Amino acid sequence: DVVMTQSPLSLPVTLGQPASISCRSSQSLVHSDGNTYLNWFQQRPGQSPRRLIYKVSNRDSGVPDRFSGSGSGTDFTLKISRVEAEDVGVYYCMQGTHWPSITFGQGTRLEIK
Amino acid sequence: QVQLVQSGAEVKKPGSSVKVSCKASGGTFSSYAISWVRQAPGQGLEWMGRIIPILGIANYAQKFQGRVTITADKSTSTAYMELSSLRSEDTAVYYCARDSPGPYSSGWNYWGQGTLVTVSS
């Protein structure tokens, strides 16, 4: 299985400040069709996960533009330009390239300092 | 608006089986796939498998091969996940989510509300 490694695992951030989460994969996530199926999810306390970003950098409908995704190959980043209180939760990266073995990162817990 | 509504919480004995349902509304059920993802208490997300209803073809994560069966009933737009030989480590919230049918996954933008399965003697 492809191992997804996130860092940091805990991320205390001051309101209004930026935040960044790294996600590295043990193998390239470039699919044979040319796409890179690296996706990001947010899980607020007590809620189902919600997809924020798909295929590295595509923001889902309704996701604030302070969230952005970037990266290539094995190295990816989720950035929040200015953290708001509603951003508290756990963030997961997930690879869907190496089908049918879908794997997630361990999760990064974002909290407000 | 796409909605996925799952069956209610279950309490099961070790060694037994559980079957969780996921009823879809809005959108074309057979055009998509349904994935199942679980989350043990305080833990991360774990993909279990997926079915393409129009084809009736299911794929499973290696960890669950032989213990999980995912099926779909096109007539009722309902997918099912059955997990057998339950052990305490299977205590988790089980989610269904709408997926694309290709040999890849862009993740899931529609999720069920989750079903808590508790395995306890």
Side-chain angles (χ1 to χ4, degrees), chain B residues 4-119:
Chain B
L4 300 174
V5 179
Q6 298 182 222
S7 49
E10 303 258 15
V11 179
K12 293 292 183 180
K13 301 278 190 202
S16 66
S17 298
V18 67
K19 191 170 186 176
V20 180
S21 68
C22 171
K23 183 171 176 59
S25 60
T28 306
F29 181 68
S30 293
S31 298
Y32 293 94
I34 296 288
S35 268
W36 289 88
V37 177
R38 79 175 186 179
Q39 185 171 37
Q43 302 300 309
L45 302 170
E46 187 172 34
W47 181 75
M48 301 179 69
R50 185 190 83 174
I51 189 163
I52 303 173
I54 197 170
L55 300 175
I57 293 174
N59 295 98
Y60 303 113
Q62 195 162 9
K63 173 177 178 176
F64 298 101
Q65 286 273 6
R67 215 159 62 91
V68 68
T69 304
I70 297 174
T71 56
D73 182 342
K74 296 190 295 292
S75 68
T76 59
S77 299
T78 302
Y80 299 90
M81 185 284 300
E82 184 170 21
L83 187 63
S84 62
S85 302
L86 290 170
R87 33 210 189 229
S88 59
E89 310 89 89
D90 295 318
T91 294
V93 176
Y94 291 77
Y95 295 100
C96 63
R98 195 179 82 169
D99 204 344
S100 53
Y104 51 79
S105 181
S106 297
W108 315 281
N109 57 348
Y110 295 105
W111 292 70
Q113 82 275 22
T115 296
L116 175 62
V117 175
T118 303
V119 182

